[in-house]
Amino acid sequence: MTLSEDLNYRGLINQMSSDELLVQMDSSRLSLYVGFDPTADSLHLGNLLGLTVLRRFQRSGHRPILVAGGGTGMIGDPSGRSTERTLLDDATLTKNTEAIRSQLERFIDFTGESAGVLVDNREWLESLNLIDYLRDYGKHFPLATMLAKDSVKTRLGSEGISYTEFSYMVLQAIDFLELNRRFDCSLQLGGSDQWGNITAGIDLIRRVAQQEAYGLTWPLITKADGTKFGKSVGGAIWLDPRKTSPYQLYQFLFRSDDSMVISYLKQFTSLEPAEIIEIDQEFHDHPERREPHHRLATELVALVHGQEEAERARRASRSLFAGAVESLESDLLEEALGEAPTLIVDSGEFDGGIDLVELVSRTSLFASKSELRRNLSQGGLYLNGSQQRESLVVTREMLIDGRLLVLRRGKKDYCLVRCIRGAADE
């Protein structure tokens, strides 16, 4: 399967500047780039698609260029936004740029014939003075063409747009031209919301360098409800493990809608079509096993955090699903139940043991002791994964790693009991 056929199969071609690009990507060695503005100190899951597409091109013999947008990040891209961005100060931008540079370096091979290149556009944008900007570049941007771009029209029809953000497409076009000069870069990739910025760069290269350049976008990836893929109730799903743990990333991916999970496997993983067909058929035959969801989560956590972390997250997920929490290490258990209610108990209370009903009544699992006892008698209460039907004395020996207990009501409602010496005095 050629690269163009592979991209088509995976649904990764949305807009393309010329059909000639299909021939070029299958028969020539291209230098191509994707930009990542440092609007935060970590990339997020939405950025991952650009990185995986770059990897596909690199594995087909093309040279990928990753642009950390230390310069464009000082302005902010208006694409896909209804309001003006808050401008970041210099110290924050520098910190964010360094953080995402270290992340970008993990996804691309920087050795061999198709060695990747990592640059910061602040290197050439910061040295521009206003007169040179207007004379050398501004004259190549007809105002009517700029006003016709979707990113501008949308803002003009709502909140309006400042000259600062209006000029963003010029800066991104300068990036494309500069990369064309330095690395013979002839292709820019991006999400479909970047189409206006990409075509601006193509036009600038034609006018200034009299060379042919290309653009290709992938569709914006969404969830079944139309919201952005990579967003949760709490905000973005980050690639930095300090902001989104490997287990949290795993669970977000595992909870992908059934109608979308096969598409995500095609778009984000390197699984071959035959294997994806096999996984899809297995899901059709045994939907309760949710194998595509586990496979998607495992593949992407391994890509972002390594195979070992992916296996730990997968084991934690399966153990929680089966109620076998006693098999997990305490740190992984705390991570897996990070969003569950937590009860802090002085570990000294376990010296003589604690009655199970008394312990559970301190949690929010049941509204009253009568409800608790009723559920207990019906087998609806679990202690460390074991079903209980009558009260018992919870002793220190039952603590996982000497400090944790897991209480569960029914199949899904958890409470983590954390035992701390001297907790009663806090």
Side-chain angles (χ1 to χ4, degrees), residues 96-366:
N96 290 354
T97 302
E98 288 306 309
I100 71 165
R101 281 175 67 97
S102 65
Q103 291 181 328
L104 291 171
E105 290 171 347
R106 299 205 307 265
F107 294 95
I108 297 298
D109 186 0
F110 291 90
T111 62
E113 291 186 2
S114 301
V117 177
L118 176 59
V119 293
D120 182 351
N121 62 16
R122 194 168 183 172
E123 179 184 339
W124 53 84
L125 292 180
E126 194 170 48
S127 62
L128 278 177
N129 64 56
L130 180 59
I131 299 301
D132 289 341
Y133 168 81
L134 294 174
R135 286 176 57 86
D136 297 341
Y137 305 109
K139 67 180 181 180
H140 296 294
F141 288 84
L143 190 58
T145 301
M146 296 179 72
L147 290 171
K149 302 292 185 183
D150 286 341
S151 59
V152 175
K153 287 197 299 182
T154 300
R155 288 284 291 278
L156 288 176
S158 57
E159 296 290 323
I161 186 170
S162 70
Y163 180 77
T164 298
E165 286 198 348
F166 182 63
S167 65
Y168 183 92
M169 73 174 71
V170 180
L171 297 183
Q172 187 165 313
I174 293 172
D175 284 349
F176 201 172
L177 176 61
E178 187 66 26
L179 295 173
N180 179 265
R181 289 167 170 167
R182 294 185 180 207
F183 306 108
D184 194 28
C185 178
S186 60
L187 172 60
Q188 182 182 355
L189 307 177
S192 59
D193 60 344
Q194 291 296 307
W195 184 243
N197 294 331
I198 291 172
T199 54
I202 293 173
D203 291 341
L204 183 62
I205 290 173
R206 286 173 179 165
R207 291 183 173 124
V208 175
Q210 290 80 49
Q211 292 186 18
E212 186 68 29
Y214 305 97
L216 181 149
T217 67
W218 53 81
L220 292 183
I221 308 303
T222 62
K223 295 186 282 189
D225 61 4
T227 58
K228 284 186 177 181
F229 180 76
K231 295 284 186 178
S232 69
V233 175
I237 303 299
W238 303 101
L239 303 190
D240 185 336
R242 295 168 298 182
K243 297 167 76 76
T244 299
S245 72
Y247 177 79
Q248 290 171 325
L249 175 59
Y250 189 101
Q251 284 302 107
F252 176 84
L253 296 165
F254 178 69
R255 290 193 291 264
S256 296
D257 191 272
D258 291 354
S259 65
M260 305 297 292
V261 67
I262 296 300
S263 293
Y264 295 157
L265 280 172
K266 292 178 181 179
Q267 293 162 335
F268 283 94
T269 76
S270 297
L271 298 179
E272 295 296 330
E275 189 170 3
I276 293 175
I277 292 172
E278 184 178 326
I279 293 171
D280 192 16
Q281 183 60 52
E282 200 276 343
F283 182 47
H284 181 269
D285 296 338
H286 302 283
E288 73 283 356
R289 297 177 184 173
R290 296 177 64 79
E291 189 54 34
H293 306 71
H294 277 297
R295 191 62 184 273
L296 173 71
T298 302
E299 291 286 330
L300 293 198
V301 174
L303 176 62
V304 176
H305 299 298
Q307 192 62 44
E308 183 177 345
E309 289 293 345
E311 291 303 324
R312 289 181 81 242
R314 182 182 177 97
R315 181 161 55 88
S317 180
R318 290 189 179 277
S319 295
L320 281 182
F321 183 77
V325 296
E326 70 284 351
S327 65
L328 299 177
E329 312 95 290
S330 58
D331 61 335
L332 184 55
L333 185 58
E334 287 184 292
E335 184 178 327
L337 294 177
E339 298 180 4
T342 298
L343 174 67
I344 304 296
V345 176
D346 191 317
S347 58
E349 293 190 51
F350 289 93
D351 292 342
I354 305 176
D355 179 75
L356 178 61
V357 170
E358 173 59 29
L359 179 64
V360 178
S361 68
R362 301 186 200 177
T363 74
S364 59
L365 289 176
F366 300 95

